[in-house]
Amino acid sequence: MPLSTFHVYSPAEFTNWIRSTAFTRNITFIQNHHTFLPSYQNFNNHADHLFWLESMRSVHINERHWADIGQNITIFPDGFIAVCRPIDKTPAGIFGANTGAICIENMGDFDIGKDVMTPAQRDSIILTNALLCIKFDLRPNIAQVVYHHWFDRAGKRFTAQQINSGAVTQQQLQKTCPGTAFFGGNTIIDAEANFYPLINTKINALNGAPAPPVNITHKKVNTTTLNVRSGRGTQFGIVRKIPGNTIVEVFEEKDGWSRISSDKEEWVSSTFLSL
Ligand SMILES: [Zn+2]
């Protein structure tokens, strides 16, 4: 069997791809994982999507003795989304619970005190789960959007009571995957409070709710030199600098960052803008 070909997409490209591609496998649920390794530090030291995909594939083949990379989808800290093992192939995600699954590996270590998820990755995780729900007629609920942590080593589900009480972790019956800080926690209570509502909102938006009107405001740079970055966060590269007192157009504000281009990912910290 030939190994799968990796395809790395921006969120917009992935949206177009999943909407325009037909699949044949019967999909009944979505698994969410974190990679643990590679972590954010690994990716920040070497921000090369294909390098890390090949690296994970090598571990999966050589150490776990799988036929190919395990996951169907990898979501990177910069928000890029890679299709790995084809969607029409059963993944190796949760031992004993892979039939009918799509396996998403979110790159990073999302246990409490470890990697802090970037807004871009957060958006892509919500988007990907929402797009897959629409494509395969699934709902964000405990049967159809699941965490690895909820299954034992044979692929049998723990009870909600075991998961929500923390018994699973205390008894070291299973990994914390996708992490004790993944969208506020890895229990069922956490998923219902903090993850499913975001997916639902995104599903509604994707299903044709009108796009919010573009409201351009003009603001003034109130610092000596302002860094323009390629994403919402200081971990993103500086694409250019703007001198103080410049008037900029703000197209969108999110997470304390302002987008100052109508069509490009150009963001500045909102702290340094005044009306
Ligand atoms: Zn996992």
Side-chain angles (χ1 to χ4, degrees), residues 3-47:
L3 295 176
S4 52
T5 304
F6 296 128
H7 296 277
V8 182
Y9 297 112
S10 69
E13 289 165 346
F14 178 78
T15 303
N16 290 335
W17 177 79
I18 200 94
R19 283 178 159 169
S20 60
T21 304
F23 303 100
T24 54
R25 189 162 64 102
N26 182 33
I27 303 298
T28 54
F29 68 111
I30 301 164
Q31 304 170 351
N32 277 273
H33 301 259
H34 68 164
T35 57
F36 182 72
L37 284 174
S39 67
Y40 268 35
Q41 195 189 344
N42 296 134
F43 185 73
N44 291 337
N45 285 341
H46 192 66

Side-chain angles (χ1 to χ4, degrees), residues 7-266:
H7 296 277
V8 182
Y9 297 112
S10 69
E13 289 165 346
F14 178 78
T15 303
N16 290 335
W17 177 79
I18 200 94
R19 283 178 159 169
S20 60
T21 304
F23 303 100
T24 54
R25 189 162 64 102
N26 182 33
I27 303 298
T28 54
F29 68 111
I30 301 164
Q31 304 170 351
N32 277 273
H33 301 259
H34 68 164
T35 57
F36 182 72
L37 284 174
S39 67
Y40 268 35
Q41 195 189 344
N42 296 134
F43 185 73
N44 291 337
N45 285 341
H46 192 66
D48 179 335
H49 304 108
L50 287 174
F51 172 85
W52 291 112
L53 293 172
E54 290 294 357
S55 163
M56 285 186 275
R57 167 146 69 193
S58 168
V59 170
H60 291 176
I61 291 175
N62 296 312
E63 295 178 24
R64 301 191 190 164
H65 308 291
W66 297 341
D68 198 349
I69 191 166
Q71 66 264 35
N72 301 110
I73 290 170
T74 305
I75 302 178
F76 288 92
D78 59 4
F80 277 73
I81 302 162
V83 177
C84 304
R85 189 180 286 212
I87 300 290
D88 273 334
K89 291 212 168 131
T90 300
I94 299 175
F95 182 83
N98 289 313
T99 303
I102 288 181
C103 170
I104 303 173
E105 283 284 355
N106 301 300
M107 184 181 285
D109 177 356
F110 301 117
D111 278 345
I112 290 168
K114 302 296 174 57
D115 294 331
V116 176
M117 189 182 284
T118 62
Q121 188 179 26
R122 184 174 177 275
D123 288 352
S124 285
I125 292 170
I126 296 163
L127 174 70
T128 301
N129 277 274
L131 286 167
L132 294 174
C133 280
I134 293 169
K135 187 78 186 182
F136 298 105
D137 197 20
L138 305 174
R139 304 281 176 275
N141 59 42
I142 62 167
Q144 298 183 319
V145 176
V146 308
Y147 294 167
H148 192 173
H149 179 63
W150 302 348
F151 294 78
D152 72 14
R153 298 275 177 184
K156 182 171 168 289
R157 287 185 74 124
F158 293 111
T159 65
Q161 202 275 334
Q162 282 174 307
I163 296 163
N164 290 332
S165 68
V168 173
T169 304
Q170 282 160 18
Q171 296 167 21
Q172 299 196 313
L173 294 171
Q174 185 50 286
K175 309 175 176 194
T176 59
C177 179
T180 49
F182 184 81
F183 289 85
N186 61 1
T187 67
I188 285 173
I189 291 172
D190 295 321
E192 289 182 329
N194 304 317
F195 193 43
Y196 298 156
L198 296 171
I199 300 171
N200 258 325
T201 302
K202 183 53 97 176
I203 289 172
N204 292 336
L206 290 165
N207 276 341
V214 178
N215 243 334
I216 302 173
T217 53
H218 290 85
K219 292 193 176 176
K220 191 158 118 181
V221 175
N222 64 19
T223 184
T224 318
T225 308
L226 182 58
N227 293 328
V228 181
R229 295 181 181 274
S230 58
R232 298 191 299 275
T234 51
Q235 72 273 25
F236 290 94
I238 297 170
V239 293
R240 58 194 171 90
K241 291 170 185 271
I242 305 178
N245 293 322
T246 305
I247 304 291
V248 296
E249 289 184 315
V250 175
F251 294 87
E252 183 186 353
E253 236 194 310
K254 215 171 172 188
D255 308 314
W257 290 79
S258 297
R259 181 161 57 86
I260 60 164
S261 165
S262 63
D263 59 346
K264 285 197 283 291
E265 292 295 320
E266 291 192 348

